[in-house]
Amino acid sequence: MTEVKHTIIDEIGLIEISNPPVNAISASVRKGLLNSINELGANNLIKAIVIAAPGRTFLAGADIKEFGKNVDGPILSEVCDKIEVLDKVVVASLHGTPLGGGLEVAMSAHYRIAAPKTKVGLPEVLLGILPGAGGTQRLPRLCGVSMALDMMLTGRHVNIDEAFKNGIIDEIAEDDDTVKNGISYARRLLKRNSDVRPTSEISDKIDNLDEIKKTIEKIKSETLIKAKNLFSPHAIIKSVEEGLNLSFPNAIDNERRLFKECIESPQRQGLIHSFFAERAITKVPELELGKPKELKKIGVIGGGTMGTGISMAAMNAGFSVVMIEQNDEAIEKALTKINATYDRNVKLGRISSEQKNQIMSLFTAVTNMDNLIDRELVIEAVFENMEIKKQVFAKLNTICSKECILASNTSYLDVNEIASVVENPSRVIGLHFFSPANIMKLLEIVVADKTSDDTVATAFLLAKRMKKVPVRSGVCDGFIGNRVLSKYLIGTYHMVEDGASPFHIDTVLRNFGCAMGVFQVIDLAGGDIGWATRKRKAPFRHKDDRYVEIADRVCENGWFGQKTSKGYYLYGDGIKPLTANPEINIICENERQRVGIKPKSFSDQEILDKYIAAMVFEGVKILQEKIAIRPSDIDVVYTNGYGFPRWRGGPMKYADMVGLDKILLNIQKFSEEDPRFWSPPELLIDLVKNNKNFDSLN
Ligand code: 3HC
Ligand code: NAI
């Protein structure tokens, strides 16, 4: 329950805020805080005021759920201004993560003390907004423009030592007792006769305007490249830059105006959707029932692209790893790759060489699978071939302890079938990491028919230890991510055969905000992987399915992308990125001629419409079949594993924003030409009929 209460201890007024779990600043917190400030401010017996928020953390920011809604009560900016002009010394006593509006409240106090592990930040940029309660004006006054802009443009959490060193915090407390810290600091300030110290009047770090101008120009040009498509980073820089030439109250008004522009931007909607979507992923039925097990010892089978990445992800999280490879040569190759990755990190100063040695001491690579006997989890990452995987699992069944969890990193194969060779299939699960597995955050947790709740719960705990973003998926061909990918890849090749250039399609997708175009991704992953999958699926393809052979023609030339220096693009020393392989257009033209298609031209919008329609189409099927629990899980998969722009919220959120009626109309239109591929899914028709969106299913 939200509560703001104040008490008087000797000559100190104490304001305690409580709004679990993270003391977010909701309308009632703002009202309560303002009320307490007014009452204590008017009390002549009080000489100092302490603001604290006992519980998990000092205020973690504005209540994000209120954005875009009409809520009553004072705005936070006004509350902060009222705090700053009080004629009594105001102390903010911090602990936990004072973020966003929380740090803004703290900066409007005259002094700040913080518990030892406190981290502060202004992460509004990650939500598509800017600090709108004086943060863009007060932070530069405390720590200088360069650090303030760095904090606001990255949203990073700054640890207490850095915050103290740079003037954001005045004192580091000895322990976590936030009320005690605040009161004792206020007493010391009063004893020293310390005066009120409004942050708006501190100017020593912002008085060198020439220097600051240069700093801002540099940051501006970097941001133009880094955050080309984004709105709020530029608004943050603008607010700081313009504020320096305005009176403080006018600078605050200007910040407010820019804040409102951000709030109204669709990017804010997309990013806030992503924030809540990423917090919903752990709401899965198995976690309510299952008991997670803390693991220490992991086995990895296969030391190729994925096996090495998974091993590093595990070692980085402190697990000991035994890797199994087929022969000494393969072990040597895997070791070289792992060593090179850590050596690079040492060279870049990310870790020390002692840390590298410590991490490597967790690693053993051998050929004999008997060495897996003491492992608590084994992750298989051998070739994508059902027979090989079954052989491996049958062997694991005899070697590993009965409690050992057996996981497959398969991209597409049926985890139920893999589990069928294990005596106790309740301990079999899919753990679908993404490449490079030591970097990519997404982890699909594939729950097979017989997987136990405990196994699922342990997989989620593992993901947490590895700092991954886990999304639960049911079993189907390709799970959530690759199944959607397969659909839009086919749709994309239809467009190419109909006349669109692969390079045009990639440009449209990059302009939309995707990290890469479809064909860039194929080149990166290796065209041979998709080729092998297509061959595997060929016997099951219906004779009436439209099958475009362009990709096969490309692969038949041995053009697998980056690994062969040639794919849809050309690679190599001195070749500019995104240099098109000129022979691709010839292949496309030949194929169109061969099948008798007269090429038509595609507008950017037509390309985008088809791409989105294909994603949403398969997303809806996945929901219908209950492979994904909710639409926002599909969004999390796409924003964390496939480079879909986070600020668009993910494909399902984007569809909501475009309007499901429009998406359905497009699908209906496409299905007139190709009903086998595009026949509109029931769930989508129902949602449109009932005037509902995907969010209503979240
Ligand atoms: N508003 C509303 N709810 C919030 C919230 C916020 N600012 N921050 C967290 N929550 C909710 C989460 O949704 C979650 O709810 P759930 O249990 O129902 O899923 C719950 O609080 C706990 O959050 P986490 O699971 O994320 O808990 P962690 O301990 O892992 O992390 C945290 C805590 C670091 C505070 C993290 O939640 C976080 O980063 N929160 C957002 C902080 C932020 O962005 N603040 C700025 C807000 S914008 C602003 O202040 C505008 C101002 O300038 C005017
Ligand atoms: P890879 O070909 O790079 O590596 C496979 C390795 O397994 C090889 O080094 C091989 O020697 C080894 N191996 C084969 N049989 C073995 C056995 N019986 N015992 C021990 N080692 C054995 O393949 P990659 O790319 O690492 O893929 C592995 C699995 O991960 C596949 O199922 C793949 O679908 C999946 N995957 C691949 C992704 C990618 O981007 N490459 C992404 C996500 C999953």
Side-chain angles (χ1 to χ4, degrees), residues 21-22 24 56-57 60-65 67 76 97 99-102 104 123-124 127 129-133 157 259 275-276 279 283:
V22 296
R56 197 156 132 189
T57 172
D63 185 340
I64 301 169
K65 291 194 195 88
F67 290 161
L76 187 60
T97 46
L99 299 172
E104 290 176 299
E124 284 85 347
L127 304 172
I129 55 173
L130 55 74
H157 296 185
F259 178 79
F275 177 87
F276 286 114
R279 276 154 186 83
K283 295 181 175 113

Side-chain angles (χ1 to χ4, degrees), residues 335-347:
L335 252 174
T336 305
K337 189 182 159 196
I338 293 175
N339 264 313
T341 306
Y342 286 121
D343 284 342
R344 189 167 171 270
N345 285 342
V346 172
K347 208 167 150 201

Side-chain angles (χ1 to χ4, degrees), residues 81-119:
D81 291 348
K82 284 262 164 60
I83 294 172
E84 195 182 67
V85 299
L86 282 167
D87 60 1
K88 306 168 195 312
V89 166
V90 185
V91 168
S93 181
L94 313 180
H95 71 294
T97 46
L99 299 172
L103 181 59
E104 290 176 299
V105 167
M107 290 192 294
S108 66
H110 304 141
Y111 297 91
R112 286 156 292 281
I113 183 166
K117 289 197 193 112
T118 310
K119 286 193 172 173

Side-chain angles (χ1 to χ4, degrees), residues 301-548:
I301 309 187
T305 308
M306 295 310 290
T308 47
I310 294 168
S311 297
M312 287 189 274
M315 292 180 318
N316 294 344
F319 295 104
S320 94
V321 172
V322 171
M323 176 195 275
I324 305 291
E325 253 296 351
Q326 302 196 91
N327 49 51
D328 292 343
E329 200 188 317
I331 288 183
E332 203 44 48
K333 219 170 131 195
L335 252 174
T336 305
K337 189 182 159 196
I338 293 175
N339 264 313
T341 306
Y342 286 121
D343 284 342
R344 189 167 171 270
N345 285 342
V346 172
K347 208 167 150 201
L348 293 173
R350 292 179 184 151
I351 53 168
S352 63
S353 41
E354 290 76 45
Q355 278 168 314
K356 182 205 153 179
N357 294 340
Q358 201 271 325
I359 293 173
M360 287 306 287
S361 72
L362 297 168
F363 185 69
T364 317
V366 283
T367 49
N368 187 344
M369 277 178 77
D370 290 345
N371 286 291
L372 296 173
I373 191 156
D374 69 339
R375 300 290 102 181
E376 296 154 316
L377 161 72
V378 175
I379 305 170
E380 164 278 309
V382 304
F383 302 127
E384 183 76 342
N385 174 302
M386 182 55 94
E387 284 324 304
I388 299 179
K389 290 205 192 275
K390 275 177 155 174
Q391 279 167 22
V392 167
F393 273 76
K395 222 162 167 192
L396 289 175
N397 183 49
T398 59
I399 292 171
C400 298
S401 80
K402 297 279 171 252
E403 290 76 41
C404 177
I405 294 179
L406 305 178
S408 174
N409 181 51
T410 176
S411 310
Y412 285 91
L413 300 177
D414 183 346
V415 182
N416 285 318
E417 191 176 337
I418 296 175
S420 69
V421 299
V422 175
E423 248 167 80
N424 170 12
S426 76
R427 60 182 173 131
V428 178
I429 194 163
L431 289 180
H432 185 213
F433 290 83
F434 287 71
S435 175
N438 50 323
I439 308 269
M440 292 292 285
K441 289 266 171 252
L442 182 64
L443 173 63
E444 281 184 315
I445 294 188
V446 185
V447 180
D449 292 350
K450 294 187 177 146
T451 310
S452 72
D453 296 338
D454 289 356
T455 303
V456 178
T458 304
F460 271 88
L461 182 64
L462 172 86
K464 193 171 172 189
R465 284 271 308 271
M466 285 186 168
K467 298 202 174 75
K468 297 288 178 199
V469 175
V471 177
R472 184 199 186 282
S473 170
V475 176
C476 67
D477 200 60
F479 320 119
I480 297 175
N482 281 343
R483 177 161 160 189
V484 171
L485 171 79
S486 298
K487 185 77 183 183
Y488 69 74
L489 275 185
I490 297 175
T492 303
Y493 278 112
H494 289 175
M495 274 195 277
V496 174
E497 197 176 58
D498 287 338
S501 134
F503 311 109
H504 182 196
I505 293 175
D506 275 7
T507 306
V508 169
L509 297 186
R510 280 195 304 273
N511 289 344
F512 175 71
C514 292
M516 288 187 208
V518 164
F519 297 95
Q520 274 177 280
V521 176
I522 295 173
D523 274 3
L524 179 72
D528 50 329
I529 293 182
W531 197 23
T533 307
R534 290 193 298 279
K535 285 182 200 157
R536 172 171 66 80
K537 290 185 182 171
F540 313 105
R541 201 176 299 130
H542 193 280
K543 66 177 178 28
D544 296 331
D545 283 349
R546 178 173 176 191
Y547 182 74
V548 175

